[in-house]
């Protein structure tokens, strides 16, 4: 079985991401399943960023805590990550920086330096790249010095162009190609991918392809880690997808034709992707399109989305915590006026600006309770990118059928993931527009009382369908009233929908019981991947642990979750936040205590290993009530 | 059958204070809609929150009473999604130039084909008379504990410099003129802005109907209405040539006139520029069939199945 983790690091702006795209692409084309994730600072140029890709011949859904091959053309990557390379693993590094001292690396902040120096003193090595690499070598890591400068010099000679010697910009391609060579990935796949990535300019394409070929050969000459990545059997229908593509393509398929947004990490990639693909092919018809509007702020983004939705168009916006905070008032407007909209909430770590480019699941309770007054809404969470495609389509159906705002919870973990998964299948999607009318005869009242409280819906521009909306309480026509009896009728009409949602949404869409067990994890959202991987690790030791993934967070499917829990004796809540927010909802709704919390709020995603360790501790007995995970730089 | 003004009225009880300038504005809007014969179910009035915000409930078209300061956001979203709609946004001066000032500016940059009418009464009517952004420095309408500490915003100047392509002012007690301004504004292609001077008899005891009429002027022989019409002075608001020379001249004269206040307050069209490419055209440069097949016209499913074909995108993701 192959389970191999590659890490590349470098200053932001140096092409770490391009290198990872290439590596992930080559591995996927070689038939592997991959899971890769990017970590970066809130900075454009200079600060440290890195990308870890886990490669396997089986499904992988998370990163592990150890690295098998690390490549680096800067000192910081070595200082930050040398200790995560497993004994038997390898480090390819740039010879030129061998003597760089820790104090020379200005971008390493004092807190990290302090911990690093303590470690270096313990190891008894000099505070240089060479020092820590020696220590790594002593613990069984193979270190491969390469002169990146010489590789460029060779290229300059080959091209008869001395200026190429200075093309440090190509270090990323050299790094990924050296790695591919050493790991024995197929050379032709590498070269093909390089050509794809740099297809825009012939000159650049040729240069990078030549550099890659040369570095690949140099990498292969370094040694040979037993051709660990020589290839695997390809699974048909496998796609290599990036975090935002699930929701973006989901929106296209679901028929979302209007998206407003204000730029924010990690949400805006989705909107930019939609705008880049704004013209849509439509079966048996002229092309369609999605209007993507970049607004002046998130208040405008939600306002425009609601305005568009009132014309009968499936509409959405995509944002992160700070933007969602600004949307709170208008969310209630959509609630009281029963407007179907979908807000895709790519969480990051708060509060306030918090860790703006780091992961967190700390907006759950805000999504559930945010906004003043009481109004119906659905909060729905996806566990991985593949799910996010289908869930996006479900969210639009929920919003139309139940006529309410839907908040679709995503996060930074998902958005900065690149992974293989079965390609999205639009034929599995249905579109249900609920009681949206296409013609009206006779008298019409938008908020007609009676029945199940969900009234037939007109839209702006529909003949005979005139209605009024207001943020004030209103009567059936939508005109303002403060009458106590009507007020009660309208409040009950709207809020009774919460029970209806739980009754009518199929159970398997509300919560998924992956396994049942005496020890059972309850969790939501992107922790799914690390949890499933950790549970497989436990299973291989004969330990079976249950896992219930709650997808419908509001209204909370209490009865269902209770039933799925079955005879679980010990309940463990796993979340990426400090307070265990879903555990909170769980206890409020189910009247059962969470026995253990496993939480992480460092801004870094969970790895399967640390989760495995924490779970093992719990099962062994004596684990604390609350375990905080810390892996990641 | 031709529609009458009455067809554009709802029977919702109007609870504005007696004598409020808002009555004149809503009448003028209804008259303008009737005279233009706009189809009621293809017209949407959006309003903000304030006394002025209630207007949408009195007009018998689609009526969307939004949030304080946010009316333009809702209205623009609807118009982008369905360019066939006639969209008119209305709101207070606090609504549009205070809490909503950012949206006011951004809307000018987009210049979507719609109309924005601000009910300019110098106060926050519905919250009992605090200073609005158009209240002049040092003035103290009766609800203010002390004179206004701030300079006032210049709505006409702000609209012109933000990019609105039709900028005009009306007066709520000159309904015929106001109706004419509204019709011109609605017919204009691009975002038209109309600043309507609106006495609030309850809270603004300075800029009253009598004050606008000049009845307070000391010299009885020289008394005159403070309000005059730009068109009566031979003023030409229109940019005729798409060159800098004409543009500079028309913008400058409009900005200069926008500073007038006190004994001579201009109403009428300050600025009109029909040489700006419309938002719809700009959209169409990227989405060629945007105007004939905008979001609101697009079919998205057949028998509950999606018909959007993403096979190209999905194919490119396959490994
Ligand atoms: C976010 C928010 N803040 C405050 C208010 C309270 N409020 C209601 S109307 C209003 C001011 C209205 O003044 P203006 O916009 O000039 O309209 P007018 O009543 O004068 O027509 C305010 C501050 C509100 N509704 N929403
Ligand atoms: S407070 Fe002023 S603006 Fe409001 S209704 Fe009364 S008179 Fe009109
Ligand atoms: Mg006002």
């Amino acid at each position: 079985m192959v389970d191999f983790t590659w890490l590349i690091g470098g200053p932001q702006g140096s092409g770490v991401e391009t290198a990872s795209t290439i590596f992930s692409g080559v591995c996927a084309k070689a038939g592997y399943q991959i899971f890769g994730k990017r970590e970066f600072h809130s900075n454009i140029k200079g600060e440290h960023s890195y990308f870890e890709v886990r490669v396997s011949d089986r499904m992988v859904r998370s990163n592990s805590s150890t690295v098998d091959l690390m490549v680096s053309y800067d000192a910081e990557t070595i200082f930050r990550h040398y200790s995560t390379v497993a004994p038997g693993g390898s480090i390819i590094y740039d010879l030129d920086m061998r003597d760089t001292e820790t104090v020379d690396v200005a971008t390493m902040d004092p807190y990290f330096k302090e911990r690093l120096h303590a470690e270096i003193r313990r190891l008894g090595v000099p505070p240089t790249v060479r020092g820590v690499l020696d220590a790594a070598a002593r613990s069984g890591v193979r270190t491969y010095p390469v002169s990146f400068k010489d590789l460029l010099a060779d290229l300059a000679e080959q091209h008869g162009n001395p200026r190429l010697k200075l093309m440090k910009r190509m270090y990323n391609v050299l790094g990924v190609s050296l790695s591919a060579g050493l790991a024995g990935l197929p050379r032709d796949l590498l070269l093909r991918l390089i050509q794809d990535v740099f297809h825009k300019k012939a000159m650049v394409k040729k240069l990078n392809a030549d550099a890659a070929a040369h570095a690949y050969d140099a990498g292969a000459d370094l040694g040979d880690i037993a051709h660990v990545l020589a290839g695997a059997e390809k699974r048909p229908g496998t796609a290599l997808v990036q975090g935002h593509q699930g929701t973006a393509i989901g929106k296209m398929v679901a028929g979302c034709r209007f998206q407003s947004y204000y730029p924010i990490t990690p949400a805006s990639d989705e909107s930019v992707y939609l705008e880049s693909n704004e013209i849509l092919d439509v079966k048996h018809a002229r092309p369609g399109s999605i209007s993507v509007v970049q607004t002046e702020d998130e208040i405008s983004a939600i306002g425009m989305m609601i305005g568009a939705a009132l014309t009968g168009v499936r509409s959405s916006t995509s944002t992160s915590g700070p933007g969602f905070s600004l949307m709170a008032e208008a969310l209630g407007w959509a609630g009281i006026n029963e407007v179907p909209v979908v807000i895709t909430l790519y969480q990051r770590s708060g509060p306030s600006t918090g860790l703006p480019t780091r992961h967190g699941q700390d907006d759950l309770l805000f999504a559930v309770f945010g906004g003043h007054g009481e109004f119906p809404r659905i909060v729905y969470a996806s566990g991985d990118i593949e799910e996010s495609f289908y869930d996006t389509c479900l969210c639009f159906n929920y919003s139309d059928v139940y006529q309410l705002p839907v908040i679709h919870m995503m996060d930074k973990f998902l958005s900065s993931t690149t992974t293989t998964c079965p390609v999205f299948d639009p034929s599995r999607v249905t579109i249900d527009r609920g009681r949206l009318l296409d013609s009206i005869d006779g008298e019409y009242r938008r908020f007609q009382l009676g029945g199940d409280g969900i009234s037939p819906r007109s839209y702006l521009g529909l003949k005979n369908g005139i209605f009024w909306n207001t943020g004030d309480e209103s009567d059936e026509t939508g005109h303002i009233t403060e009458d106590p009896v009507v007020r009660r009728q309208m409040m009950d009409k709207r809020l009774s929908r919460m029970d209806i949602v739980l009754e009518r949404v199929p159970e398997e869409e509300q919560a998924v019981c992956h396994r049942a067990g005496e020890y059972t994890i309850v969790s939501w959202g992107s922790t799914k991947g690390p949890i499933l991987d950790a549970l497989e690790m436990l299973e291989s030791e004969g330990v079976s642990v249950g896992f219930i993934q709650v997808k419908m967070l509001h209204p909370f499917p209490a009865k269902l979750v209770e039933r799925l829990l079955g005879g679980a004796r010990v309940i463990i809540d796993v979340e990426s936040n400090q307070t265990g927010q879903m555990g909170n909802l769980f206890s409020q709704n189910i009247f059962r205590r969470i026995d253990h919390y496993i939480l992480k709020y460092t801004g870094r995603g969970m790895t399967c290993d640390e989760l495995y360790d924490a779970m093992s501790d719990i099962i062994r007995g004596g684990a604390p009530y609350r375990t905080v995970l810390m892996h990641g730089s | 059958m031709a529609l009458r003004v009455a067809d554009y009225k709802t029977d919702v009880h109007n609870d504005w204070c007696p004598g409020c300038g808002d009555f004149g504005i809503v009448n003028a809007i209804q008259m303008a809609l009737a005279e233009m014969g706009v189809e009621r179910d293809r017209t949407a009035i959006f309003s903000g929150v304030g006394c002025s915000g209630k207007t949408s409930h009195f007009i018998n078209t689609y009526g969307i009473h939004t949030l304080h300061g946010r009316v333009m956001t809702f209205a623009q979203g609807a118009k982008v999604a369905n360019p066939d709609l006639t969209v008119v946004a209305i709101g207070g001066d606090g609504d549009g130039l205070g809490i909503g000032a950012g949206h006011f500016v951004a809307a000018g940059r987009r210049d979507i084909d719609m109309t924005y009418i601000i009910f300019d009464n110098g106060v926050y009517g519905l919250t009992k008379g605090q200073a609005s952004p158009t209240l002049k420095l040092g003035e103290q309408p009766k609800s203010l504990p002390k004179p206004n500490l701030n300079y006032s915003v210049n709505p006409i100047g702000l609209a012109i410099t933000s990019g609105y392509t039709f900028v005009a002012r009306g007066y709520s007690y000159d309904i015929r003129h106001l109706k004419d301004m509204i019709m011109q504004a609605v017919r204009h292609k691009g975002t038209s802005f109309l600043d309507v001077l609106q006495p609030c008899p309850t809270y603004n005891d300075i800029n009253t109907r009598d004050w606008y009429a000049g009845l307070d002027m000391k010299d009885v022989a020289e008394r005159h209405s403070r309000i005059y019409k730009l068109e009566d002075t031979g003023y030409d608001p229109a940019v005729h040539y798409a060159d800098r020379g004409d543009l500079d001249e028309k913008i400058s004269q409009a900005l200069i006139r926008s500073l007038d206040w006190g004994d001579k307050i201009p109403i009428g069209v300050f600025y009109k520029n029909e040489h700006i490419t419309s938002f719809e055209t700009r959209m169409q440069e990227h989405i060629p069939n945007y105007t004939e097949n905008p979001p609101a016209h697009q079919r998205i499913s057949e028998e509950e199945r999606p018909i959007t074909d993403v096979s190209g995108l999905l194919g490119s993701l396959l490994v």
Side-chain angles (χ1 to χ4, degrees):
Chain A
M1 186 192 114
V2 177
D3 187 350
F4 185 87
T5 291
W6 176 76
L7 183 151
I8 185 168
Q12 266 159 220
S14 72
V16 169
E17 214 174 343
T18 309
S20 336
T21 306
I22 295 167
F23 193 85
S24 311
V26 175
C27 291
K29 285 199 188 300
Y32 292 108
Q33 304 290 307
I34 69 129
F35 180 90
K37 195 164 57 63
R38 179 174 178 229
E39 281 295 342
F40 54 103
H41 279 82
S42 178
N43 155 274
I44 301 302
K45 286 209 152 90
E47 294 280 2
H48 179 64
S49 76
Y50 66 100
F51 203 108
E52 274 175 279
V53 185
R54 186 161 168 218
V55 188
S56 178
D57 43 11
R58 296 186 321 168
M59 186 165 185
V60 274
R61 318 164 183 89
S62 63
N63 285 123
S64 61
S65 298
T66 53
V67 172
D68 298 289
L69 170 59
M70 168 163 115
V71 63
S72 156
Y73 44 86
D74 81 334
E76 180 161 358
T77 303
I78 301 284
F79 287 131
R80 283 198 183 262
H81 304 283
Y82 76 91
S83 60
T84 61
V85 181
S90 311
I91 299 177
I92 303 174
Y93 67 100
D94 184 5
L95 195 59
D96 262 6
M97 65 192 189
R98 212 180 335 193
D99 296 315
T100 307
E101 293 188 31
T102 54
V103 290
D104 299 334
V105 185
T107 45
M108 289 196 301
D109 57 36
Y111 316 102
F112 174 69
K113 266 190 192 142
E114 201 181 304
R115 291 195 302 275
L116 177 65
H117 286 151
E119 179 65 13
I120 285 175
R121 276 194 301 277
R122 202 183 57 75
L123 293 169
V125 294
T128 59
V129 168
R130 193 198 297 258
V132 298
L133 286 175
D134 284 349
R138 257 188 271 144
S139 70
V141 172
R142 280 173 282 206
T143 60
Y144 298 104
V146 173
S147 170
F148 280 57
K149 205 163 67 185
D150 288 355
L151 289 176
L152 279 189
D154 297 343
L155 192 70
E157 202 179 289
Q158 183 193 340
H159 279 250
N161 180 356
R163 289 220 314 270
L164 293 181
K165 275 193 226 168
L166 304 173
M167 286 284 276
K168 283 199 164 184
R169 229 185 309 152
M170 285 169 56
Y171 274 15
N172 61 339
V173 167
L174 296 179
V176 68
S177 307
L178 283 163
S179 311
L182 181 62
L185 276 163
R187 189 175 190 266
D188 57 322
L189 287 184
L190 172 73
L191 297 186
R192 217 184 312 147
L193 234 119
I194 296 263
Q195 310 217 3
D196 285 353
V197 168
F198 297 101
H199 72 276
K200 280 200 184 120
K201 285 194 190 137
M203 200 23 222
V204 180
K205 182 164 101 176
K206 165 105 179 68
L207 208 58
N208 279 289
D210 289 346
H214 185 47
Y216 181 95
D217 297 339
D221 287 346
L222 285 177
D224 167 9
I225 27 184
H227 288 290
V228 273
L229 298 184
E233 196 175 330
K234 217 170 183 170
R235 289 180 210 195
T238 299
L240 181 63
V241 295
Q242 279 175 7
H244 56 271
Q245 287 168 333
T247 56
I249 299 176
K251 285 181 183 187
M252 296 174 189
V253 171
C256 172
R257 292 296 175 262
F258 183 93
Q259 165 126 333
S260 48
Y261 82 106
Y262 185 76
I264 190 165
T265 306
S268 20
D269 286 349
E270 185 210 86
S271 300
V272 172
Y273 184 84
L274 284 172
E275 192 169 0
S276 310
N277 296 287
E278 62 193 352
I279 297 179
L280 303 166
D281 292 335
V282 178
K283 284 176 204 144
H284 326 295
R286 59 192 166 165
S289 62
I290 175 163
S291 294
V292 179
V293 181
Q294 182 186 332
T295 56
E296 58 274 24
D297 55 34
E298 286 89 347
I299 299 176
S300 181
I302 188 168
M304 283 213 198
M305 164 183 69
I306 295 172
L310 290 173
T311 69
V313 170
R314 283 192 156 182
S315 306
S316 72
T317 184
S318 191
T319 190
S320 186
F324 188 60
S325 290
L326 291 187
M327 294 181 180
E329 188 193 15
L331 182 68
W333 196 96
I336 194 171
N337 287 293
E338 306 185 30
V339 188
V341 288
V342 174
I343 299 171
T344 312
L345 178 50
Y346 276 97
Q347 300 163 94
R348 65 190 208 190
S349 229
S352 191
T353 311
L355 300 171
T357 59
R358 307 290 181 179
H359 172 59
Q361 293 183 299
D362 34 359
D363 296 336
L364 174 60
L365 293 182
F366 183 48
V368 170
F369 298 114
H372 59 285
E374 300 166 304
F375 58 90
R377 76 182 89 192
I378 284 175
V379 178
Y380 199 72
S382 293
D384 57 37
I385 299 173
E386 184 189 3
E387 256 181 43
S388 76
F389 168 78
Y390 300 100
D391 291 351
T392 299
C393 300
L394 288 179
C395 286
F396 279 98
N397 286 350
Y398 299 154
S399 70
D400 266 337
V401 171
Y402 305 106
Q403 299 186 18
L404 40 64
V406 175
I407 302 155
H408 183 193
M409 304 300 279
M410 297 287 291
D411 58 39
K412 149 72 175 60
F413 182 98
L414 295 172
S415 81
S416 56
T417 290
T418 301
T419 185
T420 44
C421 68
V423 70
F424 311 142
D425 180 3
S427 74
R428 280 172 50 194
V429 170
T430 53
I431 292 187
D432 186 349
R433 302 232 49 192
R435 296 186 187 150
L436 179 67
L437 297 164
D438 48 25
S439 65
I440 295 176
D441 285 325
E443 205 201 354
Y444 174 73
R445 289 163 185 252
R446 170 67 187 94
F447 302 111
Q448 192 171 17
L449 291 164
D452 60 7
I454 306 175
S455 326
R457 182 161 71 95
S458 171
Y459 57 88
L460 304 184
L462 182 62
K463 208 152 195 55
N464 302 323
I466 287 180
F467 62 82
W468 289 266
N469 277 166
T470 170
D472 292 50
E473 188 56 271
S474 70
D475 59 20
E476 289 182 296
T477 54
H479 287 308
I480 300 173
T481 180
E482 298 185 13
D483 181 80
V485 175
V486 179
R487 162 69 171 178
R488 179 183 169 185
Q489 288 171 327
M490 287 297 166
M491 285 294 278
D492 292 349
K493 166 189 196 310
R494 291 187 295 262
L495 288 162
S496 63
R497 217 151 298 174
M498 296 290 80
D499 288 337
I500 295 180
V501 167
L502 291 179
E503 275 162 36
R504 298 191 192 162
V505 171
E507 285 186 349
E508 61 277 16
E509 292 173 17
Q510 300 188 34
V512 181
C513 181
H514 294 271
R515 289 173 175 72
E518 180 192 359
Y519 290 84
T520 292
I521 293 177
V522 290
S523 191
W524 65 286
S526 68
T527 49
K528 174 188 173 188
I531 292 172
L532 287 177
D533 281 354
L535 295 197
E536 269 181 18
M537 293 164 77
L538 288 163
E539 208 133 279
S540 69
E541 295 171 359
V543 181
S544 175
V545 170
F547 171 32
I548 296 169
Q549 178 197 357
V550 185
K551 301 193 68 168
M552 179 77 71
L553 278 320
H554 184 85
F556 195 87
K559 286 201 189 102
L560 172 63
V561 172
E562 213 166 358
R563 183 148 41 79
L564 295 176
L565 276 171
R569 190 175 58 84
V570 179
I571 298 174
I572 303 122
D573 176 44
V574 176
E575 297 185 62
S576 287
N577 54 48
Q578 208 268 0
T579 54
Q581 298 191 12
M582 199 218 58
N584 233 303
L585 288 180
F586 177 94
S587 303
Q588 266 176 34
N589 287 284
I590 299 188
F591 310 111
R592 223 181 131 165
R593 228 176 88 95
I594 298 288
D595 299 292
H596 288 279
Y597 282 95
I598 301 177
L599 304 171
K600 187 165 187 178
Y601 43 95
T602 58
R604 278 65 174 172
M606 293 180 188
T607 67
C608 52
D609 311 72
E610 58 180 345
L611 208 47
Y612 162 84
D613 290 342
M615 283 303 299
S616 304
D617 284 350
I618 290 171
I619 293 163
R620 207 174 298 128
Y625 176 53
R626 193 169 168 275
T627 303
V628 179
L629 306 182
M630 286 301 298
H631 179 82
S633 182
Chain B
M1 192 184 69
L3 292 171
R4 293 163 303 125
V5 177
D7 296 320
Y8 292 89
K9 295 182 190 283
T10 61
D11 50 14
V12 173
H13 167 68
N14 189 323
D15 60 2
W16 285 325
C17 309
C20 176
D22 290 354
F23 287 104
I25 310 180
V26 73
N27 286 336
I29 294 173
Q30 288 156 341
M31 285 161 64
L33 296 179
E35 193 165 326
M36 288 186 291
V38 300
E39 284 179 65
R40 295 193 305 113
D41 37 27
R42 285 185 163 236
T43 303
I45 309 286
F46 289 78
S47 59
V49 166
C51 297
S52 44
K54 296 180 181 174
T55 306
S56 50
H57 294 282
F58 307 136
I59 300 177
N60 195 7
T61 62
Y62 282 97
I64 310 296
H65 181 193
T66 67
L67 286 166
H68 190 38
R70 315 304 171 199
V71 59
M72 281 301 271
T73 69
F74 286 67
Q76 291 171 97
K79 181 71 185 185
V80 171
N82 187 355
D84 295 346
L85 296 172
T86 297
V87 173
V88 178
I90 54 195
D93 43 2
D95 198 79
L97 299 163
I99 189 168
H103 308 308
F104 184 92
V105 172
R109 295 172 44 223
R110 294 191 189 97
D111 195 34
I112 294 169
D113 183 16
M114 57 172 288
T115 297
Y116 186 22
I117 305 175
I118 280 188
F119 294 25
D120 184 354
N121 58 8
V123 289
Y124 280 14
L126 197 59
T127 46
K128 300 199 286 187
Q130 301 86 348
S132 92
T134 60
L135 186 69
K136 303 292 170 199
L137 174 76
E139 292 198 334
Q140 189 178 9
K142 67 186 182 199
S143 280
L144 266 62
K146 60 176 188 293
N148 183 18
L149 283 179
N150 302 311
Y151 286 90
S152 53
V153 70
N154 172 350
I156 300 284
L158 185 61
I160 293 169
T161 50
S162 301
Y164 289 77
T165 45
F166 177 99
V167 180
R169 185 188 276 150
Y171 178 49
S172 63
Y173 290 107
D174 189 342
I175 296 183
R176 291 176 66 87
H177 178 265
L178 182 56
K179 178 206 73 185
D180 182 51
M181 288 295 107
I182 295 169
M183 287 171 55
Q184 286 193 45
V186 171
R187 285 183 173 141
H188 174 75
K189 293 263 166 252
T191 316
S192 45
F193 170 62
L194 188 55
D195 178 37
V196 185
L197 303 174
Q198 175 242 317
C200 162
T202 304
Y203 292 115
N204 189 335
D205 50 358
I206 296 170
N207 311 115
T208 59
R209 185 176 190 170
D210 286 353
W211 180 83
Y212 281 116
L215 299 186
D216 61 316
M217 292 182 185
K218 296 262 154 26
D219 186 340
V220 179
E222 294 283 302
R223 264 187 202 166
H224 62 86
S225 166
R226 288 190 154 83
I227 289 177
Y228 76 94
K229 297 192 172 95
L230 285 170
E231 51 269 40
D232 293 346
T233 66
Y235 181 91
D236 174 11
V239 176
H240 295 289
Y241 311 101
D243 64 32
R244 273 299 298 277
D246 196 31
L247 188 68
D248 288 357
E249 189 191 316
K250 296 297 161 48
I251 287 184
S252 318
Q253 66 163 13
L255 289 176
I256 292 167
R257 288 281 75 80
S258 77
L259 297 171
D260 289 351
W261 193 251
D263 285 355
K264 278 175 85 64
I265 302 173
I267 60 173
V269 183
F270 281 70
Y271 174 74
K272 186 163 108 180
N273 186 348
E274 291 173 337
H275 298 282
I276 304 287
T277 321
S278 72
F279 180 82
E280 291 73 12
T281 314
R282 278 173 272 140
M283 283 289 275
Q284 228 166 338
E285 280 168 18
H286 304 283
I287 303 173
N289 68 0
Y290 168 73
T291 36
E292 56 183 275
N293 194 25
H297 292 191
Q298 294 179 36
R299 283 200 312 120
I300 59 170
S301 61
E302 240 162 48
E303 287 165 5
E304 304 223 322
R305 290 288 168 191
I307 53 172
T308 312
D309 180 3
V310 291
S311 52
L313 280 178
L314 294 179
S316 71
L317 298 178
L318 282 174
V319 298

